[in-house]
Amino acid sequence: MQIKFLVDEDFVNYKKPSMFIGFPHCTFKCDKECGEDVCQNSPLAIQPNIDIKIEDIIRRYTHNSLTEAIVIGGLEPFDDWQDLLLLITCLRFITTDDIVIYTGYNENEILKEISFLEVFPNIIIKFGRFIPHSSPRFDEVLGIKLQSDNQYAKVISLELEDNKKP
């Protein structure tokens, strides 16, 4: 699969220490909708993609004793839907740790995709486009401050008590 970057230990995007995987594509809907170039990830678009095997991502995650979750962001994970679904499916054979997906889509725009993800345990989605000049808000689900007051995170699937790495 292709990604833009992989951070083995991220402490900024979720309340738990996480691996952060940056997906490689986006339609830049935030920029188009507000009529300004506002995306903090725009420079990523011109960076080369990295080819990595899902097995290598899983190995790196499972061999890291610090991380307790996986955050998928990007550019836009849902613009690479098949890779996103495959990655989550493969991860669920190994761990039920939280998987957090950052998306600029609104919930009603990806209902079909959400219905596929609801069957997996511990899936959290951060919804909403970045809106410039909006007030930041603290999100209880993520345990961090989001940059626009329209953005929110939601647990969309079953939460399991025993979500440990193998």
Side-chain angles (χ1 to χ4, degrees):
M1 81 181 272
Q2 291 191 328
I3 61 174
K4 284 293 183 184
F5 63 87
L6 190 147
V7 177
D8 287 297
E9 296 168 0
D10 178 76
F11 303 93
V12 177
N13 292 290
Y14 189 47
K15 60 188 169 188
K16 297 179 182 179
S18 305
M19 171 184 272
F20 190 101
I21 304 166
F23 269 50
H25 300 103
C26 187
T27 60
F28 293 97
K29 58 200 153 299
C30 301
D31 290 357
K32 291 174 186 172
E33 200 165 284
C34 76
E36 297 179 42
D37 292 335
V38 296
C39 181
Q40 68 179 8
N41 294 325
S42 292
L44 282 176
I46 60 172
Q47 297 299 315
N49 290 339
I50 299 166
D51 288 315
I52 188 167
K53 293 178 183 176
I54 290 176
E55 298 81 20
D56 292 337
I57 294 172
I58 291 171
R59 181 187 47 74
R60 285 170 67 163
Y61 181 73
T62 58
H63 286 85
N64 188 325
S65 60
L66 288 178
T67 52
E68 302 173 16
I70 297 165
V71 176
I72 303 169
L75 293 171
E76 173 56 66
F78 284 98
D79 287 350
D80 288 293
W81 169 242
Q82 294 300 322
D83 283 343
L84 178 61
L85 183 59
L86 181 60
L87 175 61
I88 291 170
T89 301
C90 292
L91 283 165
R92 283 301 175 242
F93 282 110
I94 305 302
T95 182
T96 57
D97 287 359
D98 296 350
I99 296 175
V100 179
I101 306 166
Y102 272 69
T103 182
Y105 284 105
N106 297 316
E107 195 170 350
N108 64 340
E109 294 174 310
I110 53 172
L111 290 174
K112 181 176 125 188
E113 291 84 352
I114 292 169
S115 70
F116 282 101
L117 296 177
E118 288 173 334
V119 301
F120 296 107
N122 303 318
I123 303 290
I124 300 162
I125 300 178
K126 188 288 300 172
F127 296 100
R129 298 181 203 356
F130 171 73
I131 298 174
H133 319 294
S134 179
S135 299
R137 62 172 287 280
F138 184 81
D139 187 88
E140 295 291 334
V141 174
L142 297 176
I144 65 164
K145 189 183 292 185
L146 296 172
Q147 293 305 308
S148 295
D149 57 13
N150 66 302
Q151 297 174 323
Y152 63 95
K154 182 177 178 181
V155 177
I156 59 139
S157 61
L158 177 66
E159 292 183 81
L160 297 178
E161 291 286 326
D162 187 0
N163 60 344
K164 305 290 182 218
K165 289 184 194 178

